[in-house]
Every structure is written in C-alpha cells, then in structure tokens.
Amino acid sequence: MTATRPSFLVRHADIIFSLKTFLAAVMTLLFALAMDLPRPYWALATVYIASQPLAGATRSKAFFRVAGTLIGACASVVLVPNLVNSPELLSLGLALWVGLCLYISLLDKTPRGYMFMLAGYTAALIGFPSVSEPSLIFDTAVSRSEEIILGILCASIVSTIVLPRSVGPAVSAQVDSWLARARKVSQQVLAGHGTDQATRELRLKLAADIVDLDMLSYHLAYDRNVSRDTPRWLRALRLRMLTLLPLLSSIADRLAALGEDARTSQPKLMALVDDLSRWIGSGMERDPADELRATISAQLPVLHGGSSWNEIMIVSLLMRMRELVDISQDCRALSQAIARGGRPDGARLMFRPEAGVAPVRHVDHGMALWSAGGAILAILMCCAFWILTGWADGASAPMMAAVGCSFFAQMDDPSVGLRNFAKWTLVSMIIVALYLFAILPGISNVEVLLVALAPPFLLFGLLIARPSTFFIGMILAANTASLMALQATYSADFASFANGGLTFFVGTEISTITILLARSVGAEWSVRRLMRKGWTALAFAAESRGNRDRAAFAGLMLNRIGLLAPRLAAMPDSKLSQIDSLRELRVGLNIVDLRRARHHLSPATLAAIDAMLDELAADFRRYEGGAMPGALLTRIDHALAEAMTETRDDARGDALIGLVGIRRGLFPDAAAYRPEHLSNAGSVAA
C-alpha cells in the first residue's frame, strides 16, 4: 500500500488538486460568511487565483499576493480621498500608479514581480468603484485585504496539510528530462550531426527549458519538504546547463571544421570521440570519465609558432571535449543529489566555473516602459468614456483595463490575450446568469449551496491543474466567483447584472483597441529586438576587460536565447530562424576568455588583439545580420599571427583558442588560416 501511494498521487494529481482547491474555497466562503465580511466572493476568487498544484508555489504566490494587496490598498487610500474632487487627476493618478507597478513587475523576472503587478491593479479595483463613496475608501481597502488574506490562508493551509505535492520532485523530474534530451543532443553532436537544423532547434528548446526551470526553482525556498542544500545544488547544476549548450555548439563546429576525412586522417581522435559518445549514453560513470580525461591529455598536441591550423583545431576540440566530460559527470552527480536531497557523490565537482556570479537575466527597460505606457493610455481612455457618458457603473471599464493590460503585458501582442480574456469571461457570465436566475433562488441553506457550486468549480480546478488550460481555468474560476457575488442573502437583479457585464466588455474592448494601436508588436519584431540586444552585448563584451564575467555573459545570452526559442518555433518560415544564436554566444564567450588572457601577452600581441576587438565591437554595433566585413577577418588573422609568436605556452594557448573560436564563429566558411599568407603583409593599419 505504501509503495503504490506516490504513484497514485502523481497519477491523479489533477483530480486531487481540484478537490483540495474546492475544499479551501468552501472553508473560505464559510469563514467569510461567519465573519460577516462585506464581499465574501473576493475571498472565494482569491483561493482559485492563489492556488497552485505545488505546495511551495502556492505559498510563494500567497506571500507575494498578500504583500501586493496591502501595497495596492494603501495606494488607493492615499489617492482617492485626496483627488476625488478632480476626476481627471484621480484617473491620471491611478493610471500612473498601475503603469509604475507594471513597469517594475516587468523588470523583475522572478515570481516577486507578481507582487508589483498586483499592487498596481489592486489600487484600481479598490479605487475606481470607491469614487462615488470616497468616505468609505478605508473600510473598503481593509475589507478587501481581509478577504484576500483569508482566501490565501485557507489555500495555503489546505495545500500544505492535505496531500501536499512538493516542488522538489517536480524540479527533479524536469531536470532529469532536460538532461536526457541534453545527452541525446551530445551524442548527435559527437556523431557529426551538430550542424543539422534539427539538432540546432533542439539546442534552442533546451535553452528555453532552462528559463522554465528557473521559474519553478524560485518556489523551492517556500517548500518545507525540500532539503536546505537543494537550492544550492540546483544553482550549481543550472550554471553547468548554461555552459553545456555553447560547449556543444563549439564541439559541433570543430568537428565540422575537421571535415569528413577526419575518420581516416585522425583515427585516434575520432575513436576518442566515439568513446565519449558511448560514455554519455551509458550513464556517465566516474571511472570511465577518468580514463577519458587521461586519453584526452595524452592526445593533446603542444602548440608552437609553427603549428598548423589543423593542430590548433584539434587542440580546441580536445579541450572542449574535456569540458564536456567534466560537465556531464557533474550534471549526473548534481541531479542525483537534487533527487535525494543529499550531497553529490564523489570527492568534488570537476568543472570549475567562475564563482560568485549571480544569475543574469534579460531585462528590457524599453519594452517595460512601452507596456506600462500602453496600460496607462488604455485606463485613461476607459476613464474618459466613463466620465463623458456619466455611466453609473462605468467604473468597471478602467478596472478591467488595469487587470487585462497587467495580465498580458509580457505578450508580444497583448490584444490577443485581452480577446481571449473577454471570450472566457463571457462564458463565466453565462454560467453566473444560470446560477443567479435559475439555481440560487431555490436554495435556502448553505449546505445545498456548496453542493450546487461543486460541479463548475471542480471543473475549474481541473483546468487550473493542467498547464495547457491553466489560464482558462483561472479566468473562469476568478470571474465566476466575482460576478456571482455571493452574499449572506440573495439579492440578484438582472438589470444590474447585465449593466455590469456590458460595462466590462466596453472596458475590455476599449483596452483591446488601444493596446492594438499603441503597443502590440509581432513575434518577428520581438525576435529582431532580442537579436539586436545580443549583438550589442557582443560589442560591449569586446570593449570590456572581461574579468570573471564569463558565467554572467553566458547567463544573459542564454536567457535571451531561451526567450527567442518559442518565438522562432512559431515562425519556422522566417529567415531569422536560420540565424544561429548559439554561434554568437560562443563568440562572446571567446571574447571574454581572450580579454582575461591578455594580461600574460606581449605588447605586440596585445595591440593586435585590442585592435581586432575594437573593430569587432564597431561592426556589431551596426550589425543587421548577414556576413561580417572581410576586414575583420584580416584583423583576426593578424592577431593569430602575433599570438603564434608568444613564448609562454599558457598565454599562447589561451590566445589561440580564443581567436580560433572567434574566427570560426564569425567566419565558418573562410579558408583555413595560413600564417605565411600574412608574412609579407606587414601590420594591419590601426
């Protein structure tokens, strides 16, 4: 019995979540009615908004929802009484508050951003309906806070006590799935298929999955069933996952550069490649890994001034293969540690990344400001309609504008989300109308009421439990609970219900049109913007001195690639989908490595490398896609020629590896480097 219970919980997780959420909703409604709270339906809606299938996720969202509600309530108490006599100023004040909070939330890519977004539209939900009775704003804000906190407490208690589902196993399962696909990609790369379009697309999908794993990992701190060390091992694993993708791209490039005849010209090297592929597929045990490292070290040729291009490429490939062994072994040990909540097996981790680097994520101040401006404009347009028409129930229009524009601000085209929001709210209104005017009038006690509410709300819980229908379920549950407006006594009025519904759709339609005209962009526009940000980052990396910033650069670039991947998948026929973003990441990492190696180089080599990097930075600042200028290739080859004359083995090796990586990344189809080609050319003009 004990052995089958976990599989039962996993197999029926959706049903269990739905039952638990309805139980929390029943508790909330009964407590709210017993406490004589003025709007118990707010508490009921909060349960479905705050509840998540994972216990840690419910607690983290609950915490941020409480904080956001209190901040928004305070803002409404400050704004409404002071500006109620100037409707235009009050509308502007609330709109600016929503815009400011939305701007901050879009800059914060963690679940904490939800707190700021909620603080914005909570002020609108409290403030706009209170315009007719500003003297009651404090009582309204307090009751709103009480009802939301009650809903959050009930949701958190039930999620924690009743068959809790920990975040830890979900993270572990996602990690295992990612690593399984990464092993498949690694074997495809080592088999010589790394440049195939299918392999490139799979690498992009892995980058996008890291972004999803980031969001899930934030909830670990709120899960009491997770070991204290698990977040630490997950951070270590994430850094290796980030490093693995450009590493595989680099190995694929080196194998492609050696060509198909490498099987006959370099039999030992290719036998080692096959051994590495078999080891990755067989489970990555420690003893074969040590043997692979020893074989790699034995095959490494020593670079010198007369080394051929082929020897340089072999050294680069072997060094990347050694990193692949270290990272693969560490990933296996760390994933096992996360799964069991202990320490990794073995004496120590093998891959030594830069220490002390916090995760770096893409932040777009321009888009955040644009989205906030669109929300402000939509709210003001709804307010203008409300004021000019004198519609008594017109407060619902700017309220819905604030909520809708906040929810869908991260979409390339928020108007699509707003349309769907309106569509599913219409479904909610049909359900509510059925209950208000056909079912509820015949109910005389709370027990029968709860039985009557069970069918739709249990269905909503099932929809929320599934990622593909989460959004639909949350809209249906929250809007059905809010629009039904359950009170201690039945007081439904069809005219009021219809009027409120009409106001909602007016607000949503005005918001949709405003956002469509002022804010919506296509996926291709967003892809170009993200790519341009990446090119600017490459220019910045070339201009910087690059001390211990390799991991930070990789994190930023891979986070952008993770944002690119789903957009590129949605537009397979676009020319942009043919651009290899991992190639640019490899170039950036080689730039950072080259900057770090510069302190041990001679003045002549330094001058050549700095001149090359300056030209590379200038080229990427005006880059729009396509081929790089041929003058940059000449600069790179001149820097290679100078680096070949270095007397220190470590300095020469580091410089050559970095320059080779840049050359192969930017000019993969260029002829092989030949130092004698530059022997009579002299110095390249500065």
Side-chain angles (χ1 to χ4, degrees):
M1 184 74 172
T2 304
T4 60
R5 187 182 178 191
S7 61
F8 174 84
L9 293 178
V10 173
R11 191 167 59 250
H12 301 287
D14 295 351
I15 297 174
I16 293 172
F17 170 77
S18 181
L19 291 170
K20 287 168 56 178
T21 306
F22 186 67
L23 173 61
V26 168
M27 288 173 51
T28 301
L29 185 59
L30 293 177
F31 279 127
L33 292 172
M35 295 167 63
D36 198 25
L37 295 177
R39 297 175 183 84
Y41 52 89
W42 276 357
L44 178 62
T46 297
V47 170
Y48 281 90
I49 295 173
S51 293
Q52 301 285 303
L54 303 176
T58 299
R59 280 195 290 273
S60 70
K61 192 170 184 181
F63 171 80
F64 291 124
R65 185 165 178 80
V66 168
T69 298
L70 294 176
I71 294 171
C74 292
S76 66
V77 170
V78 171
L79 290 171
V80 173
N82 291 305
L83 300 176
V84 70
N85 293 323
S86 302
E88 296 82 2
L89 288 179
L90 177 58
S91 300
L92 179 61
L94 286 170
L96 290 175
W97 171 257
V98 173
L100 173 64
C101 292
L102 179 59
Y103 171 76
I104 298 173
S105 75
L106 292 174
L107 298 182
D108 190 335
K109 299 298 183 180
T110 72
R112 185 177 53 233
Y114 177 72
M115 174 182 69
F116 296 108
M117 182 180 72
L118 186 63
Y121 72 72
T122 295
L125 291 176
I126 297 174
F128 285 121
S130 300
V131 169
S132 59
E133 296 180 301
S135 61
L136 300 178
I137 182 65
F138 183 79
D139 293 336
T140 302
V142 170
S143 64
R144 169 80 172 178
S145 302
E146 289 175 342
E147 287 146 1
I148 286 179
I149 292 173
L150 174 62
I152 288 171
L153 286 175
C154 290
S156 300
I157 290 171
V158 171
S159 177
T160 303
I161 295 177
V162 181
L163 300 176
R165 194 174 164 206
S166 174
V167 178
V171 170
S172 180
Q174 195 162 334
V175 165
D176 289 343
S177 175
W178 193 95
L179 292 177
R181 282 177 282 129
R183 287 194 295 271
K184 179 181 177 182
V185 173
S186 299
Q187 290 182 293
Q188 289 176 341
V189 166
L190 293 171
H193 304 300
T195 57
D196 294 353
Q197 183 64 25
T199 305
R200 287 173 51 188
E201 290 175 357
L202 189 50
R203 288 203 302 264
L204 285 176
K205 179 65 168 62
L206 289 174
D209 289 343
I210 294 177
V211 177
D212 294 338
L213 181 62
D214 279 351
M215 298 305 295
L216 189 59
S217 67
Y218 281 117
H219 303 303
L220 283 173
Y222 297 88
D223 196 321
R224 298 185 304 178
N225 297 318
V226 172
S227 167
R228 281 187 313 175
D229 291 331
T230 298
R232 172 188 171 191
W233 303 133
L234 185 60
R235 287 194 297 270
L237 177 62
R238 178 187 178 275
L239 185 55
R240 285 156 177 81
M241 292 163 75
L242 290 174
T243 308
L244 180 62
L245 296 179
L247 176 62
L248 290 175
S249 180
S250 180
I251 291 174
D253 174 77
R254 301 302 182 271
L255 288 172
L258 290 174
E260 296 181 359
D261 61 347
R263 287 282 171 189
T264 55
S265 62
Q266 300 291 337
K268 290 185 177 180
L269 174 63
M270 299 314 295
L272 177 58
V273 170
D274 292 339
D275 289 342
L276 177 55
S277 179
R278 281 191 293 272
W279 173 74
I280 289 174
S282 65
M284 302 177 294
E285 296 293 336
R286 179 172 294 276
D287 290 342
D290 293 336
E291 295 174 7
L292 285 169
R293 292 188 189 94
T295 307
I296 290 171
S297 298
Q299 290 195 21
L300 269 173
V302 178
L303 295 180
H304 51 79
S307 295
S308 67
W309 177 247
N310 202 54
E311 287 178 313
I312 297 173
M313 296 300 295
I314 290 173
V315 169
S316 177
L317 173 61
L318 288 169
M319 292 179 67
R320 298 299 182 245
M321 288 170 63
R322 166 61 188 259
E323 290 181 349
L324 179 58
V325 173
D326 292 344
I327 290 175
S328 298
Q329 184 177 322
D330 285 358
C331 284
R332 179 179 185 272
L334 288 167
S335 65
Q336 291 175 343
I338 291 169
R340 65 171 181 264
R343 296 181 61 84
D345 290 331
R348 61 187 177 90
L349 298 174
M350 299 304 298
F351 181 68
R352 316 306 283 179
E354 288 85 346
V357 179
V360 180
R361 290 169 180 82
H362 171 72
V363 174
D364 193 331
H365 289 269
M367 281 302 297
L369 190 61
W370 192 7
S371 297
I376 292 171
L377 182 60
I379 294 170
L380 291 177
M381 293 293 289
C382 290
C383 288
F385 176 82
W386 176 25
I387 294 170
L388 292 174
T389 60
W391 199 348
D393 293 326
S396 296
M399 280 169 48
M400 290 303 103
V403 173
C405 292
S406 297
F407 273 0
F408 307 110
Q410 296 194 47
M411 297 178 66
D412 294 328
D413 187 356
S415 66
V416 175
L418 285 166
R419 294 283 189 193
N420 288 329
F421 184 68
K423 177 179 68 176
W424 290 109
T425 302
L426 178 60
V427 174
S428 295
M429 293 184 66
I430 295 172
I431 296 171
V432 170
L434 176 64
Y435 269 82
L436 285 180
F437 306 111
I439 298 176
L440 293 184
I443 295 176
S444 58
N445 59 70
V446 71
E447 292 82 2
V448 178
L449 172 64
L450 297 178
V451 172
L453 293 176
F457 282 94
L458 287 172
L459 175 61
F460 301 156
L462 283 173
L463 294 173
I464 292 173
R466 297 168 183 170
S468 59
T469 56
F470 169 82
F471 174 74
I472 296 172
M474 191 182 70
I475 289 179
L476 288 172
N479 285 338
T480 299
S482 300
L483 294 170
M484 198 177 295
L486 291 172
Q487 302 276 4
T489 57
Y490 176 79
S491 59
D493 176 70
F494 183 80
S496 177
F497 170 76
N499 195 41
L502 180 60
T503 310
F504 166 82
F505 281 106
V506 168
T508 304
E509 193 61 28
I510 291 176
S511 301
T512 302
I513 295 172
T514 304
I515 291 296
L516 187 62
L517 295 175
R519 158 64 178 83
S520 295
V521 296
E524 184 161 341
W525 187 93
S526 295
V527 166
R528 290 186 183 279
R529 183 174 176 83
L530 283 166
M531 287 183 172
R532 203 168 289 114
K533 290 281 186 180
W535 299 333
T536 302
L538 283 173
F540 180 77
E543 294 165 346
S544 303
R545 287 298 181 250
N547 184 26
R548 296 174 65 85
D549 57 0
R550 192 176 197 270
F553 180 85
L556 176 61
M557 292 291 286
L558 272 170
N559 187 256
R560 286 185 178 135
I561 292 172
L563 298 174
L564 277 171
R567 292 179 168 92
L568 290 173
M571 38 186 281
D573 298 330
S574 172
K575 293 181 179 179
L576 296 175
S577 63
Q578 305 302 315
I579 297 177
D580 187 359
S581 298
L582 285 174
R583 179 205 70 166
E584 294 166 3
L585 172 58
R586 287 182 1 238
V587 171
L589 295 178
N590 281 296
I591 290 172
V592 174
D593 287 343
L594 196 58
R595 282 296 194 186
R596 193 169 56 241
R598 69 192 309 278
H599 303 291
H600 305 293
L601 300 173
S602 66
T605 304
L606 272 178
I609 288 176
D610 285 347
M612 181 273 295
L613 289 174
D614 289 342
E615 182 155 334
L616 185 150
D619 288 340
F620 266 111
R621 289 204 178 277
R622 55 177 176 261
Y623 185 62
E624 292 294 335
M628 297 294 289
L632 179 58
L633 177 61
T634 304
R635 290 279 192 187
I636 295 172
D637 285 349
H638 180 66
L640 273 168
E642 292 291 346
M644 295 287 278
T645 65
E646 291 292 314
T647 56
R648 286 186 53 170
D649 291 342
D650 57 344
R652 182 176 62 250
D654 288 343
L656 288 176
I657 294 302
L659 289 167
V660 166
I662 294 172
R663 192 183 197 274
R664 285 293 305 169
L666 298 180
F667 302 96
D669 299 323
Y673 162 75
R674 291 180 298 154
E676 64 272 13
H677 180 68
L678 296 174
S679 59
N680 298 321
S683 299
V684 180

